[in-house]
């Protein structure tokens, strides 16, 4: 089996990377940056996002696992104390794989019919540097509302605990193949009206955002923001592709939510 390790780059993460690389090669696994079967991220959820985007072109052939060197992560859910166990588990391959849904974003620009397609593991955020965004929001080909406000966030189920949560979105179990649309400070008065609640869209219910006033947007796909001009439309839907996680121990999603946001102690009395 071929593996690659992506480190956050700090001393602690680099040390863990070196240890894992050494032991796994001793177990006859092959270090291969180009076509790894397993990508190990060492750092935080941010490092995991980076690792995901580095291998986003070959998701079908890649499984991911994350070791956290900071606080507990949603993607990076192995601790440095468990390193030995993880190394042995990896060396014992084949491993179990769990798949989570992704968000597909297609940005179409006015000039030259340019089209950019992205996959997001957490979310897409659409904002502007000048004033409010104004979009006609179509859902499944029908006009739903005209949105005015700071912006919109469209998240995946596994990204629902990230930016989406800060916007008051719901936490969604990743076994559900959906995307969630949350508002960032919408303007609501007698003239402008939006739904005001997060919307959860199933597969094939495409959401299309069509700019009404400004056409320049800051579009963030996970941790990476790009400035787009002359935007004609931004299409969001559940992607056909999925992300594959290598699972070596059970760590249910709701336990991760509890341990990250409620309490790490077992608070039953
Ligand atoms: P960052 O500023 O380090 O990320 C902000 C925090 O979000 C970090 O604590 C990060 O964990 C955590 N995070 C990332 N993905 C998560 C997930 N799926 N569930 C729960 N927490 C998650 O920036 P970054 O590390 O490059 O990560 C980019 C992501 O951060 C974006 O996709 C966005 O969702 C999120 N973010 C959230 C807020 C907010 O909640 N107000 C603001 C900005 C960005 P680590 O420390 O382990 O990296
Ligand atoms: Mn981070």
């Amino acid at each position: 089996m071929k593996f690659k390790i992506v480190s956050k780059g700090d001393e602690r993460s680099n040390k863990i990377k070196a240890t894992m690389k050494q032991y796994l090669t001793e177990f006859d696994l092959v270090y291969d940056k180009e076509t790894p079967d397993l990508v190990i991220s060492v750092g935080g959820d941010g490092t995991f996002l980076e690792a995901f985007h580095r291998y986003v072109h070959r998701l079908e052939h890649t499984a991911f696992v994350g070791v956290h060197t900071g606080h507990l992560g949603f993607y990076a859910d192995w601790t440095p104390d468990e390193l030995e166990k993880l190394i042995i588990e990896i060396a014992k391959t084949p491993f179990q794989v769990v798949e989570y849904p992704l968000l597909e974003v297609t940005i179409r620009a006015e000039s030259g019919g340019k089209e950019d397609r992205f996959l997001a593991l957490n979310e897409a955020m659409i904002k502007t540097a000048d004033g409010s965004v104004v979009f006609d929001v179509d859902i499944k080909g029908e006009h739903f509302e005209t949105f005015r406000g700071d912006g919109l966030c469209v998240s995946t189920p596994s990204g629902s605990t990230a930016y989406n949560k800060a916007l008051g979105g719901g936490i969604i179990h990743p076994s559900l193949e959906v995307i969630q649309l949350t508002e960032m400070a919408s303007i609501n008065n007698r003239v402008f009206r939006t739904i005001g609640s997060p919307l959860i869209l199933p597969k094939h219910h495409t959401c299309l955002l069509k700019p009404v006033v400004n056409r320049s947007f800051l579009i963030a796909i996970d941790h990476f923001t790009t400035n787009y001009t002359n935007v004609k439309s931004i299409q969001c839907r559940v992607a056909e592709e999925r992300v594959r996680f290598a699972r070596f121990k059970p760590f249910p999603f709701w336990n991760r939510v509890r341990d990250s946001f409620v309490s790490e102690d077992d608070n039953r009395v």
Side-chain angles (χ1 to χ4, degrees), residues 3 45 54 132 138 140 173 220 264:
F3 72 101
D45 283 332
R54 227 185 267 183
S132 304
D138 287 3
K140 227 185 155 199
H173 194 276
E264 254 189 275

Side-chain angles (χ1 to χ4, degrees), residues 8 43-49 68 70-76 121-123 125 153 156-167 221-224 260-261:
K8 185 177 178 180
D45 283 332
T47 319
F48 196 99
L49 291 172
H68 66 88
H71 54 88
L72 168 70
F74 265 79
Y75 300 116
L121 178 57
N122 270 350
E123 76 282 286
M125 264 188 290
C153 169
T156 64
S158 60
S160 66
T161 48
Y163 206 98
N164 167 75
K165 186 174 181 296
L167 296 173
I221 304 289
D222 296 333
H223 56 309
F224 191 68
S260 296
F261 295 113

Side-chain angles (χ1 to χ4, degrees), residues 5-66:
I5 307 176
V6 177
S7 160
K8 185 177 178 180
D10 59 295
E11 202 179 318
R12 185 154 187 240
S13 307
N14 285 345
K15 224 168 141 189
I16 291 175
K17 173 177 172 171
T19 310
M20 290 191 86
K21 192 172 168 180
Q22 187 198 332
Y23 281 108
L24 289 173
T25 32
E26 277 169 20
F27 274 117
D28 281 342
L29 274 68
V30 180
Y31 196 74
D32 181 339
K33 309 194 229 214
E34 303 302 324
T35 57
D37 304 299
L38 180 70
V39 172
I40 305 160
S41 134
V42 182
D45 283 332
T47 319
F48 196 99
L49 291 172
E50 206 187 300
F52 168 82
H53 284 281
R54 227 185 267 183
Y55 293 96
V56 73
H57 56 285
R58 52 188 314 280
L59 291 178
E60 255 180 86
H61 311 285
T62 314
F64 297 87
V65 66

Side-chain angles (χ1 to χ4, degrees), residues 102-108 118 120 123-126 138-140 152-155 178-181 201-209 219-221 233-239:
L102 296 170
L103 163 71
E104 180 200 74
V105 184
T106 310
I107 303 164
R108 297 189 177 97
F118 298 99
E123 76 282 286
M125 264 188 290
I126 302 124
D138 287 3
I139 296 175
K140 227 185 155 199
L152 284 167
C153 169
V154 187
S155 59
V178 297
I179 54 171
Q180 180 167 195
L181 189 64
L201 306 180
K203 237 182 160 176
H204 309 304
H205 287 208
T206 301
C207 166
L208 191 68
L209 309 175
I219 304 180
I221 304 289
S233 68
I234 302 160
Q235 176 190 289
C236 298
R237 63 182 179 194
V238 177

